[in-house]
Amino acid sequence: MPLIKLSLTDEEFEELQKLADVEKMSIQDLIRYKLLLKKNPAIFVPEEAVARALEKFTTDDEPFTLPDIYGEAWSNLNPRMTGVFGKRFFNYLKTIDSIEYAGMTPDGRRATYRIK
């Protein structure tokens, strides 16, 4: 994989970091997503994930992961963007009351959630 070096002033770096923070992305992912227009399929937005989870799961169900919410459609998401989407979903949950973080899977690779 090619490596690109980019020299920025402190002010430019701070501005780029703020833009990345707003999007809840790393600077590297911000460049991929915004500059190169690498977009996820439209269904991979936190609001859609919440709607799907509320339709699929109940308060009595075991905790679930994002792949559980999306099923086969999860394979359409670029593997590089799964973590970015996961962070966006996790942060979005702080603004709603219907789903909560339940912990990590036993292997520590994925966050789990439950319906409140």
Side-chain angles (χ1 to χ4, degrees):
M1 181 178 312
L3 177 66
I4 297 173
K5 181 179 177 182
L6 177 65
S7 298
L8 302 171
T9 65
D10 288 340
E11 293 80 19
E12 291 167 335
F13 178 78
E14 287 176 21
E15 184 178 347
L16 191 56
Q17 185 64 58
K18 286 178 186 174
L19 290 170
D21 290 346
V22 165
E23 296 291 333
K24 308 287 193 270
M25 295 180 177
S26 67
I27 290 174
Q28 178 175 309
D29 287 328
L30 178 77
I31 290 169
R32 279 191 190 113
Y33 186 74
K34 296 293 185 181
L35 185 62
L36 300 177
L37 302 176
K38 299 285 184 187
K39 299 216 186 243
N40 293 328
I43 63 169
F44 293 106
V45 293
E47 297 84 356
E48 175 69 16
V50 167
R52 286 171 178 248
L54 292 174
E55 189 175 298
K56 190 171 187 177
F57 301 103
T58 70
T59 55
D60 298 327
D61 288 326
E62 292 292 315
F64 52 87
T65 64
L66 283 169
D68 295 332
I69 293 171
Y70 283 96
E72 287 294 316
W74 186 253
S75 64
N76 295 329
L77 182 61
N78 181 328
R80 289 177 152 171
M81 296 304 288
T82 57
V84 173
F85 178 58
K87 286 180 198 175
R88 291 182 69 207
F89 182 73
F90 179 85
N91 288 320
Y92 179 74
L93 293 185
K94 297 173 187 174
T95 68
I96 63 169
D97 292 325
S98 54
I99 299 177
E100 65 185 353
Y101 172 72
M104 296 299 287
T105 56
D107 64 6
R109 294 189 61 220
R110 289 197 169 104
T112 64
Y113 305 96
R114 73 169 52 94
I115 305 296
K116 288 186 185 179

